[in-house]
Amino acid sequence: MTLTRVQPFRLCGALLPARLAGLPIALLKATALELAILAGHLLLYPSGIVQERRAAPPPPPPDAPRLPTRDKPPVLLLHGFIDNRSVFVLLRRSLAQHGRQHLESLNYSPLTCDIRKAAELLGRHVEEICERTGHERVDIVGHSLGGLIARYYAQRLGGDARVRTLVTLGTPHTGTRVVPLADAHPIVRQMRPGSDVIEELREPAPGCRTQFVSFWSELDQLMDPVETACVDHPDLVAQNVRVSGIGHLALPVHPAVATAIRQALDLTKPAADTPASADGLTVA
């Protein structure tokens, strides 16, 4: 995996024409991978329907070494539309193997019809995590709609006080036009360009303390246009990470993406120390 620093936003769309020559073969490979991931996910899906059981960790023995006072914050994983926590099985394992001791997933109901309500539920869950773990802030990784719910919470409901870093994977930050027939579902309509929710996220957000890292792919079939998966807001500290050669379902599964997510979380600095013009990363 090669990480190359590029300027965000300007390249987010400009890179596409240069890659068109190799697109058909790349698209076929990405589609085949998507189908394989979908088949595997359908097998795992039943295991993730039940909400995760949460219990306070047992107290350490008296002779156990004390953790550093600034140990890594909890990570909360938030799935996409009509999905559940089973989508994060591989990512969760990767994060746990590299030092993330407190990992949780939140299932929101497939009957959820409003991003704002889902963001309020997320906020209550984040408060409960902070109270239970003693941490003041958490990191969130959201796939697709999950990233949009988490962004609404951080940007519009004061959640930036609790969310240190928000990583989004294939999230339609400015709305997606894909699958028009799905507009029968109200939450899909909220993910359309120009919806009330999308317009709210365009509004000023001065002083937002959450740092945003958005992963996007030029082969993401559910993002139309693909640039919608990039965060482009003058008040937000954001990095855009281009992932080459994979589609929407592969983003929370691909090992290169998991490595880049870990790097993004581990390199997070206090918001006051991070310039608003932070460079993005390209995963090739």
Side-chain angles (χ1 to χ4, degrees):
M1 181 184 70
T2 302
L3 299 179
T4 306
R5 290 193 173 273
V6 299
Q7 292 297 321
F9 311 137
R10 291 199 300 270
L11 292 186
C12 200
L15 285 172
L16 298 181
R19 302 183 64 85
L20 286 179
L23 186 59
I25 294 178
L27 182 59
L28 286 174
K29 291 181 178 179
T31 301
L33 179 60
E34 290 285 282
L35 291 174
I37 292 172
L38 177 60
H41 187 42
L42 289 175
L43 294 175
L44 288 174
Y45 191 92
S47 68
I49 292 176
V50 178
Q51 191 70 267
E52 184 176 66
R53 296 182 61 185
R54 303 178 185 95
D63 57 344
R66 293 184 176 272
L67 291 174
T69 56
R70 298 189 63 183
D71 56 331
K72 297 178 180 180
V75 178
L76 178 60
L77 307 173
L78 198 61
H79 62 80
F81 182 58
I82 316 180
D83 208 341
N84 62 41
R85 60 189 177 88
S86 63
V87 72
F88 291 117
V89 168
L90 296 180
L91 176 59
R92 184 168 184 154
R93 180 183 304 167
S94 175
L95 291 172
Q97 289 174 343
H98 289 81
R100 291 286 168 169
Q101 297 180 348
H102 196 106
L103 294 158
E104 292 194 12
S105 303
L106 174 63
N107 276 358
Y108 56 88
S109 171
L111 301 178
T112 300
C113 293
D114 184 57
I115 288 174
R116 302 177 186 89
K117 296 294 184 183
E120 292 173 2
L121 170 65
L122 172 62
R124 292 193 294 270
H125 187 69
V126 169
E127 291 295 330
E128 190 271 333
I129 291 177
C130 290
E131 180 179 356
R132 174 160 40 86
T133 65
H135 286 269
E136 294 185 356
R137 307 188 81 188
V138 303
D139 292 333
I140 297 179
V141 179
H143 181 225
S144 196
L145 172 60
L148 202 61
I149 292 170
R151 179 180 172 184
Y152 192 94
Y153 165 61
Q155 185 178 332
R156 300 291 300 172
L157 300 182
D160 62 311
R162 289 298 195 190
V163 182
R164 186 189 71 146
T165 303
L166 170 57
V167 175
T168 65
L169 310 173
T171 290
H173 289 286
T174 56
T176 179
R177 296 188 294 262
V178 76
V179 194
L181 295 179
D183 282 352
H185 198 294
I187 211 165
V188 173
R189 295 198 296 271
Q190 290 184 334
M191 289 190 285
R192 295 303 190 201
S195 73
D196 290 345
V197 167
I198 297 299
E199 290 305 307
E200 285 184 54
L201 293 176
R202 292 181 183 274
E203 294 179 7
C208 183
R209 289 160 284 186
T210 298
Q211 297 182 65
F212 297 82
V213 183
S214 58
F215 287 75
W216 68 282
S217 171
E218 74 274 23
L219 299 181
D220 190 332
Q221 302 92 334
L222 295 186
M223 297 297 106
D224 181 17
V226 293
E227 298 93 335
T228 190
C230 297
V231 174
D232 187 358
H233 191 293
D235 295 331
L236 302 182
V237 176
Q239 294 181 318
N240 292 313
V241 182
R242 179 174 61 86
V243 183
S244 298
I246 64 174
H248 190 76
L249 296 179
L251 285 168
V253 176
H254 199 283
V257 178
T259 299
I261 291 172
R262 295 198 313 266
Q263 292 176 349
L265 295 179
D266 290 342
L267 293 176
T268 296
K269 301 176 182 178
D273 297 334
T274 304
S277 59
D279 288 342
L281 299 173
T282 298
V283 180

